């Protein structure tokens, strides 16, 4: 019999299997297909990034992994055990996108409540609360009400609540939304340390630089389908070296994107966040023609940034859209 | 079960920290009980119509005696037809007809018939006629004494009548102090004994409806989703939330009972029966509260719509005025609400010395209301928690 809330001991029952194995996951909401045949595996200590724009199917996939949504087809296994077993959920730490905490309770009271749902009681619960608060650098604010916390502190506490029961798989659904750069940096560093400690992590985001920074492997999801998967190097190599040119401009950016696509050598162009992202095999050679395209489209060019191929350009290449669209 | 207790415990912890909730749970009910208890009286006063057809001094004396009675309110009517109409409309519980020549007849030693108009099938009017009869009998005793004395040449009739009245006032009498426990009482006792049980019924229900906002807020915060990701059954979440609502309603009802008894001297009647009634009403409140949390979309809706709905049901159910004074249609309509059955049960306990056995039918109906509300609300909350 395993100690309550001590997930690693329970995980040994499925030793040798990947921590998370999703096969052919599918989910429809009425006529709309939200997830269609998604499958991937995550190993111990691996940080897996699930990338995609809003509405791509990331959160639906996450909810099926955590047992919050029943899949119409496919299966989820945690350490080789089917998710249908209620006890398997104690192997998973779920950190939702929303700050799912009672604002009128203190951090300790919130953690005590959530810990009890995972079978933690008494001294063990107290120890885990202290540990989770320390891990997220909130020990000195544990008695404060959550509504007195800053946005970044709430995010960290939200993560702490998912760690109380020592899960073998931590599922983080866009954990840095709405936080300041300093807090984001702290959260990303912490996520990296979770992976280094042997915990498997599924991390969804639409911030490509975050995925670049913390994820060992990424899966790119769009329109409910997993369209590519691998390490950053694998994905860039598979698609060929491409340069990315960002045209920061004011005016009709859609027209600029259309004009850019007409330039010989440009493979893709899309506008997002007040700029036009252009993918080209040789960025420098197409730059003069791009500048002419800017002039012909009537926009005011503020700056031009040329970058080597990265996950952003991989995404652009695969989906034809910028990630934040 | 431990998980359900964790959910319930956390909800109760939140209530205990919410000063606004404590205001509505304890302070406001007590203030309203105090105000209504101190101001609303008179449901047991009987309005008596009087038609004087020329009775003379004896008739005026009788009217004066009725006006002096604490439970009679005299209303004069010019004609017999007007008094009859008033009684048939319920504007007066009964009417007394003072005959022409009454005084002269009494002086001459003849009898004078004082007619009392009342509907045979109406128990309230029968009670009113009995109350009037008591006053007439008392006045009659004075008249007989005066006639006796004057007929024996011991003075004039007027002087002997005054002497008889004076003697009647000064003669020690066996006083009977009675509580209102007669089987025919249709209302709760007056004062705080009226306001405390009715406000218990009103506030437990209204507070439960308003606190449906807590469920809505929990859902919006994403906490049900977070709870559902834990290795617990969703039924435990539903059970825990419902248990919290029940305990809040039970605590509020118990506090009102305790404060009513200790601060206002309210006698709540047979203790086991009162306890059963309080528990059942808390279950009705819990069902209504959880249902409110699943019907409304925003906490603001629950806070704005819930209390007015609860107050309307309380009005229909007899929390603001006794259903015995409203029309039969409104009385029947009122009994479509659980409030009416709860107030009826309190009336049984507090005005008629009711027991667990005598209020069992009303408890049964309240249990049916509670079961229906709890079934519906837990099914709906189950859907909210699941969202699969």
């Amino acid at each position: 019999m395993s100690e309550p809330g001590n997930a690693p001991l329970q995980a040994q029952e499925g030793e040798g299997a990947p921590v998370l194995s999703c096969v052919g996951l599918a989910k429809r909401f009425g006529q709309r297909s939200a997830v269609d045949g998604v499958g991937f595996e995550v190993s111990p200590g691996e940080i897996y990034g699930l990338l995609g724009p809003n509405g791509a199917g990331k959160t639906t996939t996450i909810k099926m992994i955590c047992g919050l949504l029943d899949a119409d087809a496919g299966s989820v296994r945690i350490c080789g055990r089917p998710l249908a077993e209620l006890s398997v959920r104690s192997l998973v730490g779920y950190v939702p996108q929303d700050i799912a905490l009672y604002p009128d309770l203190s951090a300790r009271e919130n953690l005590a409540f959530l810990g009890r749902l995972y079978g933690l009681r008494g001294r063990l619960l107290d120890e885990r609360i202290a540990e989770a608060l320390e891990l997220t650098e909130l020990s000195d604010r544990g008695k404060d009400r959550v509504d007195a916390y800053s946005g970044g502190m709430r995010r960290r506490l939200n993560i702490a609540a998912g760690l109380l029961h020592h899960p073998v798989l931590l599922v983080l659904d866009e954990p840095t939304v709405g936080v300041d750069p300093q807090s984001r940096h702290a959260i990303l560093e912490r996520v990296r340390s979770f992976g280094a400690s042997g915990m498997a992590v599924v991390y969804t985001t639409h911030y490509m630089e975050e995925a670049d920074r913390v994820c060992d492997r990424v899966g790119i999801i769009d329109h409910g389908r997993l369209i590519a998967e691998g390490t950053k190097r694998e994905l860039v190599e598979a698609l060929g070296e491409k340069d990315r040119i960002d045209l920061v401009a004011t005016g009709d950016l859609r027209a600029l994107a259309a004009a850019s696509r007409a330039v010989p050598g440009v493979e893709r162009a899309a506008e997002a966040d007040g700029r036009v992202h252009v993918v080209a095999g040789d960025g420098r050679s197409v730059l003069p023609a791009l500048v002419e395209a800017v002039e012909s489209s009537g926009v005011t060019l503020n700056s031009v940034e040329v970058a080597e191929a990265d996950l952003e350009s991989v995404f652009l290449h695969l989906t034809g859209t910028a990630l934040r669209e | 079960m431990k998980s359900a207790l964790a959910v319930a415990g956390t909800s109760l912890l939140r209530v205990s920290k919410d000063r606004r909730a404590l205001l509505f749970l304890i302070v406001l009910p007590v203030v309203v009980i105090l105000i209504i208890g101190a101001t609303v009286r008179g449901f047991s006063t009987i309005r008596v119509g009087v038609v004087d057809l020329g009775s003379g001094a004896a008739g005026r004396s009788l009217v004066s005696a009725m006006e002096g009675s604490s439970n009679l309110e005299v209303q004069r009517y010019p004609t017999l037809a007007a008094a009859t109409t008033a009684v048939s409309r319920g504007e007066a519980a009964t009417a007394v007809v003072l005959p022409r020549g009454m005084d002269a007849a009494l002086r001459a030693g003849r009898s004078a018939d004082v007619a009392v108009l009342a509907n045979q099938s109406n128990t309230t009017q029968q009670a009113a006629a009995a109350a009037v009869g008591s006053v007439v009998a008392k006045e009659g005793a004075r008249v007989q004494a005066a006639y006796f004395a004057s007929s024996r040449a011991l003075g004039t009739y007027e002087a002997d009548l005054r002497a008889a009245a004076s003697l009647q006032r000064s003669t020690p009498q066996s006083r009977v102090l009675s509580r209102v426990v007669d089987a025919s009482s249709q209302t709760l006792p007056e004062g705080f004994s009226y306001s405390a049980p009715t406000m218990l019924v009103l506030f437990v229900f209204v507070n439960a409806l308003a606190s449906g906002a807590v469920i809505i807020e929990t859902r919006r915060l994403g906490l049900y989703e977070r709870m559902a990701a834990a290795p617990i059954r969703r039924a435990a979440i539903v059970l825990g939330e419902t248990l919290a609502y029940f305990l809040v309603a039970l605590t509020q009802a118990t506090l009102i009972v305790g404060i009513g008894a200790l601060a206002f001297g309210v006698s709540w009647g047979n203790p086991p029966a009162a306890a059963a009634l309080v528990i059942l009403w808390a279950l009705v409140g819990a069902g209504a509260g959880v249902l409110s949390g699943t019907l409304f979309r925003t906490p603001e809706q629950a806070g704005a719509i819930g209390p007015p709905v609860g107050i309307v049901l309380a009005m229909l159910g007899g929390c603001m005025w006794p259903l015995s004074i409203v029309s039969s249609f409104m009385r029947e309509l009122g009994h479509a609400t659980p409030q009416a059955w709860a107030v009826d049960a309190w009336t049984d306990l507090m005005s008629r010395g009711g027991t667990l056995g005598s209020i069992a039918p009303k408890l049964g109906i309240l249990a049916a209301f509670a079961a229906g509300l709890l079934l519906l609300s837990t099914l709906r909350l189950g859907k909210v928690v699941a969202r699969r």
Side-chain angles (χ1 to χ4, degrees):
Chain A
M1 189 74 184
S2 303
E3 184 185 357
N6 197 335
L9 288 177
Q10 296 172 13
Q12 287 172 7
E13 294 170 27
E15 207 167 9
V19 173
L20 171 65
S21 173
C22 303
V23 179
L25 286 178
K27 183 71 183 175
R28 297 185 73 86
F29 295 108
Q31 295 298 309
R32 189 175 66 86
S33 175
V35 172
D36 184 10
V38 168
F40 60 92
E41 292 186 345
V42 184
S43 303
E46 184 178 33
I47 302 174
Y48 186 91
L50 204 52
L51 307 184
N54 290 333
K58 301 189 300 291
T59 297
T60 303
T61 303
I62 290 291
K63 287 186 176 179
M64 286 191 281
I65 291 171
C66 295
L68 297 170
L69 277 176
D70 291 329
D72 294 337
S75 67
V76 177
R77 299 181 83 85
I78 312 289
C79 298
R81 294 164 60 187
L83 196 61
E85 291 177 24
L86 202 58
S87 61
V88 170
R89 295 188 190 178
S90 64
L91 303 176
V92 183
Y94 173 53
V95 179
Q97 189 173 338
D98 298 322
I99 307 292
L101 300 164
Y102 290 114
D104 48 354
L105 296 185
S106 72
R108 283 184 183 280
E109 287 164 342
N110 268 288
L111 294 179
F113 166 56
L114 294 167
R116 286 190 192 103
L117 298 185
Y118 285 85
L120 299 171
R121 298 281 186 282
R123 200 172 66 183
L124 181 63
L125 176 61
D126 292 339
E127 287 172 3
R128 295 292 177 82
I129 291 170
E131 181 187 280
L133 288 173
E134 191 179 338
L135 200 63
T136 47
E137 298 171 3
L138 291 169
S139 297
D140 58 335
R141 299 290 303 271
K143 290 181 181 173
D144 292 354
R145 282 167 54 123
V146 170
D147 54 12
Y149 278 21
S150 69
M153 290 166 72
R154 290 180 202 190
R155 280 278 163 209
R156 273 146 53 201
L157 185 62
N158 206 31
I159 294 171
L163 296 169
L164 276 172
H165 57 290
H166 287 184
V168 293
L169 172 66
L170 183 66
V171 179
L172 298 151
D173 192 4
E174 307 208 20
T176 60
V177 169
V179 303
D180 58 273
Q182 193 177 358
S183 294
R184 176 179 292 179
H185 173 77
I187 289 170
L188 295 180
E189 286 303 306
R190 196 57 63 195
V191 171
R192 282 216 63 83
S193 74
F194 297 152
S197 70
M199 191 185 292
V201 178
V202 174
Y203 187 103
T204 79
T205 182
H206 55 228
Y207 294 120
M208 200 59 76
E209 64 275 18
E210 286 186 6
D212 247 345
R213 189 167 151 191
V214 301
C215 296
D216 301 312
R217 215 152 51 90
V218 296
I220 294 176
I221 191 166
D222 192 35
H223 297 298
R225 288 174 169 275
L226 195 67
I227 55 177
E229 188 189 36
T231 63
K232 174 188 167 187
R233 180 174 294 276
E234 285 170 350
L235 288 172
V236 169
E237 284 179 0
L239 297 170
E241 289 290 335
K242 306 288 180 191
D243 288 344
R244 199 183 74 201
I245 303 161
D246 281 359
L247 303 173
V248 182
T250 48
D252 187 353
L253 297 185
R254 287 186 183 277
L256 175 58
S260 301
R261 282 193 286 271
V263 172
V266 169
E267 296 187 5
R268 293 182 187 278
E271 63 97 8
D273 298 335
R275 56 181 63 197
V276 171
H277 303 281
V278 178
V279 174
D282 185 349
R284 293 183 186 282
S285 67
V286 301
L287 208 49
L290 273 179
V291 172
E292 283 180 21
V294 168
E295 289 171 357
S296 66
S297 58
V299 301
T300 305
L301 187 63
N302 300 321
S303 67
V304 179
E305 297 168 11
V306 181
E308 288 187 355
D310 57 9
L311 284 175
E312 185 82 47
S313 47
V314 168
F315 191 88
L316 190 60
H317 184 99
L318 287 169
T319 67
T321 58
L323 187 56
R324 288 173 208 173
E325 276 185 339
Chain B
M1 191 60 191
K2 284 181 178 176
S3 304
L5 290 176
V7 174
T10 302
S11 292
L12 292 177
L13 178 64
R14 296 185 67 206
V15 171
S16 72
K17 288 177 170 238
D18 186 349
R19 288 180 186 172
R20 197 176 52 177
L22 293 178
L23 175 76
F24 283 99
L25 274 174
I26 304 167
V27 179
L28 193 60
V30 170
V31 168
V32 174
I33 287 168
L34 190 63
I35 293 170
I36 293 180
T39 56
V40 176
R41 292 172 190 272
F43 290 130
S44 62
T45 301
I46 299 167
R47 179 176 287 184
V48 176
V50 170
V51 185
D52 192 342
L53 300 176
S55 62
R60 288 194 293 276
S61 176
L62 180 59
V63 171
S64 178
M66 285 193 289
E67 286 174 336
S69 174
S70 62
N71 63 337
L72 296 181
E73 179 189 338
V74 175
Q75 175 75 44
R76 292 167 198 275
Y77 292 96
T79 63
L80 181 60
T84 305
T85 303
V87 172
S88 64
R89 286 178 177 171
E91 294 166 7
T94 187
V96 177
V97 183
L98 304 173
R100 175 183 290 277
M102 178 180 167
D103 187 60
L106 292 176
R107 282 168 186 272
R110 298 193 305 274
S111 62
D113 294 333
V114 175
V116 179
L117 307 180
N119 187 335
Q120 286 286 350
S121 61
N122 188 315
T123 53
T124 304
Q125 293 194 1
Q126 290 300 311
V132 169
S134 160
V135 175
V136 170
K138 198 172 178 181
E139 184 68 13
R142 283 199 292 271
V143 168
Q144 282 177 336
Y147 179 74
F148 174 80
S150 62
S151 68
R152 293 292 183 274
L154 296 174
T156 64
Y157 178 82
E158 285 81 5
D160 289 338
L161 186 62
R162 283 195 296 275
S166 173
L167 191 66
Q168 196 177 42
R169 282 194 296 273
S170 61
T171 303
Q173 296 177 27
S174 299
R175 294 184 65 201
V176 179
L177 296 175
S178 60
R179 302 191 78 113
V180 184
V181 293
D182 62 291
S184 63
S185 178
Q186 299 296 306
T187 64
L188 286 158
E190 292 184 347
F192 300 124
S193 295
Y194 180 83
S195 62
T198 50
M199 290 305 106
L200 182 156
V201 171
L202 184 150
F203 273 102
V204 167
F205 197 85
V206 166
N207 189 65
L209 287 181
S211 59
V214 175
I215 286 179
I216 300 167
E217 190 190 13
T218 305
R219 184 185 74 210
R220 292 173 84 187
L221 286 169
L223 270 149
Y224 285 134
E225 189 177 277
R226 186 158 217 162
M227 292 181 212
I232 61 171
R233 301 205 176 279
R234 283 156 206 220
I237 302 171
V238 174
L239 178 62
E241 284 288 26
T242 308
L243 185 61
Y245 273 76
F246 170 68
L247 291 175
V248 168
L250 187 63
T251 302
Q252 186 182 27
T254 306
L255 282 169
I256 291 174
V257 167
I259 292 170
L262 296 175
F264 303 127
V266 175
S267 173
W268 295 88
N270 180 281
L277 184 50
V278 162
I279 291 169
L280 270 175
W281 192 245
L283 284 170
V284 169
V290 174
L291 188 62
S292 157
T294 61
L295 284 177
F296 297 116
R297 289 188 174 184
T298 66
E300 292 75 21
Q301 276 184 350
I305 300 173
V309 168
I311 289 170
V312 168
L313 292 175
M315 286 175 166
L316 288 172
C319 294
M320 304 292 195
W321 46 77
L323 289 184
S324 59
I325 67 168
V326 303
S327 69
S328 58
F329 170 75
M330 289 306 292
R331 196 158 41 243
E332 284 172 18
L333 181 65
H335 281 85
T337 70
Q339 282 84 350
W341 297 99
V343 172
D344 281 358
W346 282 120
T347 306
D348 266 7
L349 290 181
M350 298 172 72
S351 293
R352 299 199 285 268
T355 62
L356 198 55
S358 68
I359 67 166
K362 295 178 181 71
L363 292 182
I365 291 169
L366 285 176
F369 270 111
L373 284 168
L374 286 169
L375 181 66
L376 188 60
S377 61
T378 51
L379 285 175
R380 288 190 61 89
L381 183 58
K383 283 186 179 176
V384 168
V385 171
R387 292 267 186 254
R388 299 168 77 90

